[in-house]
Amino acid sequence: MTATAADAAPGAPVLEARELSKQYGRKTALDRVSFSVPPESFVVILGPAGAGKTTTLRLLAGLERESGGDILMDGRSVAGLEPKDRDIAMIFDNLALYPHKTGFQNMAGPLLERKLPREDIRRRVDAVAAKLRVEHILERLPKTMSGGERQRIALGRALVRSPRAFLLDEPLSSLDAPLRFELRSELKRLQREEGHTFLMATPDFTEALAVADTVLLLRAGKIVQASPPEDLYDYPADCEAALFVGSPQIAVLQAEFREGLVHCAGLAFPLPAALEDAAGHMRRAGPDGFLLGIRPENVRVLLHSSSESGTDGRTGGIPGARDCSVGQVTDIESLGLQSVITVCCGREHLRMLCSVAQRARIRIGQDLTFTLADRERLTAFDRVTRRNIIRRADGGRVFEL
Amino acid sequence: MSIPKLEVAGLTKEYRDGAVIAVDNISFTVESGETLALLGPSGCGKSTTLNMIVGLEQPSSGDIRIDGRSVVAVPAGRRDVGLVFQDYAVFTTMSVRDNLAFGLKVRKTDKAVIRREVYKTAEFLGLTDCLDVRAGRLSGSEQQRVAIGRTLVTKPALLLLDEPLSNLEASARPVVRRELRRLQQELRLSIIYVTHDQTEALSLADRIAIMHHGKIIQAEETLRIMQYPGHVQVARFLGSPPMNILRGRLADAEGGVQFTHAAFSVLFPACALPGGVRERGPDKQYALGFRAEDIILVPPEQGLWKGEILSVEIRGSDAVVNLNSHGSLLQCVVEHKRKAAPSAGLPATRNAGAPDIRPEPEKEGLPATALRAAGANPPASDVFSLRTSTLVGLALAPENIVLFDGDSNLRLESAFVPKQL
């Protein structure tokens, strides 16, 4: 039996994992993971090495047997189905080509095996080759192609088929950065234009944010967060998610709420709207307070004798409020048009972005004044659970308090 | 004036009797205490250059001077340079201590001195706790630290780092970069850093030399080369995304100068173009460069020209918008800001005086966040949904345009480029 689109339950996701678990001996690789991949969507499993990404893909492909839970394709369980009967294509990192075959022969391989009519094969290969911009090298042997061209042919080889779903396991990780950026945007374009359903695993958050409709953040065999890419950045589920996504990295600092003000890294300011109804929660947290997540782009460097204004004017007049604070510069890293300045403020380290012009005036070891660009863009976490406690712009929450 | 730590003059390396020129007549210096990055794609000749400085390969012509003395005839082991490889190459079966001591033992240094220097280096690199551990048991970044320490212990005049971070996991790289910066600051080493990764070059180098097909096409201070690329290839190699380049012709027109690209043309006020641009005509090619960060997206009818959105790639605090503009792929960076949460129980209100550039309520297809063009504050009416296939207008401030000669690919002097930063 083969699961095909023909007998798909209407509206059902192409792939669905229900409470999926995998044990290797006494080690739990995957712990009751549930998610779904809707038709024509690009879902990315993001996580560090060892999180369970490849295990998840292998279970879905049928290359390994799950220890618990169920896998559904188009609403029907595929438990017990052989990999070849699941109508899934898996694409790996090390995409190999046959050295003695031309680009065309390499790409046509999977179709030739199925004994499709010649014209159909030609048409299909040409169409995919056009999408991947490799029409001009179809008659050449792999050894005469550049690394990028070989990788495109290899991807093309997988993409000439039209299975219900593609599982991609770090397909671009062995490529140089410029080529990786180029190919990932082509993968995304191809997926959308052809209406493919993609589930891709990657340890690289930039890749996940760039291509995903939905990101599943996997950590130690559990899904920590499943959200659109911009939400992963704006509303990370917990401290670790915030630290994992974003470069330069977010600073997570100790903060306290007392006498109506948030105190953190020498700053004191009124409670951001996103934290207003978490105030009671923070007071309960006692003198240790809570954790404040400050992204580098939300901190502004203030250099004297410049026209920049230090205050946003909103804390003016509030007794005890401090718009600016001072820290000692411990590191400067250039990113090109911007630099990341790290300052040490008490026991805390804070990162901020500055322009080339500002950077030219900053030295390691000096004291630097800084302010928050916008306190409404802060993120906050419970000190004990480390979970996000802010309210979203739509009024909802990442976690209920 | 002090003698440069390293001076490379007219260095050339040919293979197969000149059929292949790996390194083509390059010259550069490394001052004492300076870090120079050799940056370029694989195969551009940077590793060959390094091998000639170390003495692993003999130049076809040219000279290499360390502290003013030519070393071309000096054998590899006696050039007073330390080389750290991409794959660490530590002795995995030896302890960290023996790895660090190796170079000094070979030189038959006094035992007490070895002990002292090994400990000092281990302390500096945070390796004192694992001195007796076999190097093969350490993590990648620890092994790389051992490899660097093993080289540092011999106090070379010049430290050569060949893609030292390439084999590390992504998460370890910022940490090792930070350690290398500390090393530079505290030890004031003279370093050549070979890499294909601009992040590393920008992060660590005082100056960057960009190599392309065996030649150095530009060598300049890190901050300056980034701001004012002198060559089309430099502009296409630096920046993420790199600078947009459009090739076309120039013609005098009423009100300015018309730049005509294959499928569209833009009128620029004459003051926007470099003073030296004289040549016109159908045969003279120019290349127009502008940064992804400098394009401002506006409604279609307000733009200098139009483009269709192909895709939006979210990066975190900003997003890259890929546009098809009359057959050319252009990239543009837009800022991405989390929307403010409404005050609890109250309707959202604006803070008086704060620029408000939030988009209208969610439209279909609009990312659930505010997006606006970076680098400028477009009026609120300019905010629109960044949806695939949407037509948008592109605007550009004249001072953000760089003009290159289309034949030599060299940047033309512009009134907007200050001589010094």
Side-chain angles (χ1 to χ4, degrees), chain A residues 295-369:
Chain A
R295 296 232 180 244
E297 65 269 18
N298 198 13
V299 186
R300 203 168 284 158
V301 171
L302 296 176
L303 293 170
H304 306 295
S305 76
S306 75
S307 59
E308 300 156 75
S309 150
T311 63
D312 56 11
R314 280 175 289 185
T315 56
I318 299 174
R322 281 191 306 276
D323 284 341
C324 305
S325 181
V326 177
Q328 191 183 31
V329 177
T330 61
D331 189 31
I332 304 175
E333 175 164 32
S334 171
L335 304 176
L337 298 173
Q338 289 184 309
S339 295
V340 191
I341 312 287
T342 308
V343 303
C344 179
C345 197
R347 291 204 311 264
E348 310 278 20
H349 281 84
L350 201 63
R351 276 175 286 274
M352 55 198 77
L353 293 177
C354 75
S355 67
V356 171
Q358 287 177 319
R359 185 235 157 104
R361 296 166 58 194
I362 299 172
R363 298 280 172 272
I364 300 266
Q366 79 169 72
D367 281 342
L368 193 68
T369 308

Side-chain angles (χ1 to χ4, degrees), chain A residues 45 95 101 122 184 194 200 207 224 229 233 253 261 282 302:
Chain A
I45 306 177
L95 295 163
K101 290 186 176 174
R122 183 86 234 181
R184 81 175 178 213
E194 298 275 291
M200 182 174 91
E207 202 162 283
V224 181
Y233 189 80
L253 309 181
L261 296 172
M282 283 183 250
L302 296 176

Side-chain angles (χ1 to χ4, degrees), chain B residues 353-383:
Chain B
D356 188 83
I357 32 181
R358 289 174 220 154
E360 286 140 13
E362 299 300 300
K363 289 175 192 153
E364 192 212 342
L366 177 74
T369 39
L371 286 156
R372 71 171 178 105
N377 291 342
S381 62
D382 284 358
V383 176

Side-chain angles (χ1 to χ4, degrees), chain A residues 27 29-30 44-56 169-170 200-206 208 215-225 232 238 240-245 249, chain B residues 169-172:
Chain A
K27 190 182 170 293
L30 215 56
V44 174
I45 306 177
L46 171 68
K53 305 186 293 291
T54 301
T55 303
T56 307
D169 194 8
E170 305 191 24
M200 182 174 91
T202 178
D204 179 351
F205 81 88
T206 55
V215 182
L216 308 170
L217 182 61
L218 199 65
R219 188 194 305 145
K222 287 193 164 95
I223 290 184
V224 181
Q225 185 165 10
L232 191 66
D238 57 20
E240 283 62 37
L243 291 165
F244 190 69
V245 175
Q249 207 178 35
Chain B
E169 290 174 40
S171 58

Side-chain angles (χ1 to χ4, degrees), chain B residues 131-148:
Chain B
L131 273 173
D132 295 311
V133 177
R134 266 197 297 130
R137 299 180 59 114
L138 300 176
S139 73
S141 59
E142 287 167 332
Q143 287 195 29
Q144 189 57 287
R145 255 186 280 166
V146 173
I148 291 168

Side-chain angles (χ1 to χ4, degrees), chain B residues 153-390:
Chain B
V153 118
T154 62
K155 301 199 171 79
L158 187 66
L159 182 61
L160 307 175
L161 303 172
D162 191 3
E163 309 249 0
L165 308 187
S166 295
N167 283 10
L168 298 179
E169 290 174 40
S171 58
R173 284 184 202 153
V175 180
V176 180
R177 287 206 303 267
R178 195 158 58 233
E179 283 179 15
L180 285 173
R181 281 198 300 278
R182 188 173 60 97
L183 215 74
Q184 288 170 316
Q185 262 145 29
E186 296 187 12
L187 303 181
R188 288 276 143 223
L189 300 165
S190 310
I191 299 173
I192 297 185
Y193 192 104
V194 165
T195 180
H196 65 263
D197 183 344
Q198 60 164 319
T199 313
E200 289 170 30
L202 291 167
S203 158
L204 293 163
D206 298 302
R207 279 192 306 140
I208 297 179
I210 306 242
M211 285 195 77
H212 186 71
H213 294 324
K215 288 192 166 82
I216 289 180
I217 49 177
Q218 193 179 2
E220 226 167 331
E221 280 169 52
T222 301
L223 298 182
R224 194 172 162 84
I225 200 169
M226 187 71 199
Q227 285 203 300
Y228 306 111
H231 191 283
V232 168
Q233 291 300 339
V234 176
R236 288 299 295 164
F237 197 76
L238 289 179
S240 45
M243 201 178 247
N244 294 294
I245 300 283
L246 291 177
R247 289 181 185 271
R249 294 181 175 79
L250 289 179
D252 292 307
E254 198 181 329
V257 179
Q258 186 99 0
F259 173 83
T260 310
H261 175 249
F264 74 107
S265 61
V266 192
L267 183 74
F268 293 105
C271 68
L273 293 173
V277 182
R278 294 273 175 270
E279 237 181 298
R280 302 272 192 273
D283 298 328
K284 183 62 196 167
Q285 277 264 346
Y286 287 95
L288 200 69
F290 44 92
R291 283 186 197 291
E293 293 85 351
D294 292 331
I295 299 182
I296 301 164
L297 296 185
V298 294
E301 63 282 1
Q302 292 174 22
L304 269 173
W305 74 100
K306 294 183 186 64
E308 182 196 351
I309 295 181
L310 292 174
S311 60
V312 180
E313 297 183 1
I314 291 174
R315 298 201 294 190
S317 63
D318 58 24
V320 176
V321 181
N322 295 306
L323 298 152
N324 174 9
S325 184
H326 306 271
S328 298
L329 173 74
L330 295 181
Q331 292 182 297
C332 149
V333 173
V334 296
E335 203 177 311
H336 156 119
K337 274 192 178 180
R338 189 179 83 200
K339 275 206 280 187
S343 197
L346 296 166
T349 51
R350 278 188 57 180
N351 292 308
D356 188 83
I357 32 181
R358 289 174 220 154
E360 286 140 13
E362 299 300 300
K363 289 175 192 153
E364 192 212 342
L366 177 74
T369 39
L371 286 156
R372 71 171 178 105
N377 291 342
S381 62
D382 284 358
V383 176
F384 49 87
S385 62
L386 293 174
R387 212 177 342 170
T388 304
S389 306
T390 310

Side-chain angles (χ1 to χ4, degrees), chain A residues 158-277:
Chain A
L159 295 167
V160 288
R161 295 174 50 197
S162 304
R164 281 295 285 154
F166 288 94
L167 307 180
L168 303 98
D169 194 8
E170 305 191 24
L172 308 176
S173 62
S174 60
L175 300 174
D176 274 6
L179 192 58
R180 207 163 59 230
F181 299 156
E182 198 181 319
L183 270 184
R184 81 175 178 213
S185 79
E186 290 194 12
L187 262 188
K188 172 74 186 169
R189 192 169 50 86
L190 199 85
Q191 177 266 331
R192 192 173 29 220
E193 289 177 2
E194 298 275 291
H196 288 318
T197 304
F198 274 17
L199 178 63
M200 182 174 91
T202 178
D204 179 351
F205 81 88
T206 55
E207 202 162 283
L209 294 186
V211 299
D213 300 317
T214 302
V215 182
L216 308 170
L217 182 61
L218 199 65
R219 188 194 305 145
K222 287 193 164 95
I223 290 184
V224 181
Q225 185 165 10
S227 62
E230 61 271 20
D231 275 16
L232 191 66
Y233 189 80
D234 290 342
Y235 305 106
D238 57 20
C239 276
E240 283 62 37
L243 291 165
F244 190 69
V245 175
S247 173
Q249 207 178 35
I250 195 171
V252 176
L253 309 181
Q254 297 285 341
E256 274 181 62
F257 182 62
R258 55 183 152 82
E259 288 140 22
L261 296 172
V262 175
H263 295 260
C264 180
L267 300 161
F269 50 87
L271 207 56
L275 275 167
E276 275 171 9
D277 52 1

Side-chain angles (χ1 to χ4, degrees), chain A residues 54-125:
Chain A
T54 301
T55 303
T56 307
L57 296 187
R58 291 179 62 84
L59 291 177
L60 293 174
L63 299 173
E64 289 191 54
R65 181 58 55 86
E66 55 274 16
S67 312
D70 201 2
I71 297 165
L72 288 81
M73 279 192 77
D74 295 308
R76 300 159 62 122
S77 174
V78 293
L81 278 191
E82 290 297 310
K84 65 177 169 49
D85 296 326
R86 294 195 180 192
D87 200 19
I88 285 176
M90 191 142 169
I91 302 176
F92 301 94
D93 167 16
N94 51 348
L95 295 163
L97 293 177
Y98 294 106
H100 57 283
K101 290 186 176 174
T102 64
F104 179 86
Q105 288 164 341
N106 265 290
M107 277 179 70
L111 302 178
L112 290 167
E113 282 164 24
R114 295 178 174 211
K115 302 196 169 57
L116 292 176
R118 273 187 165 280
E119 317 77 84
D120 289 1
I121 293 177
R122 183 86 234 181
R123 205 174 315 122
R124 184 72 197 135
V125 170

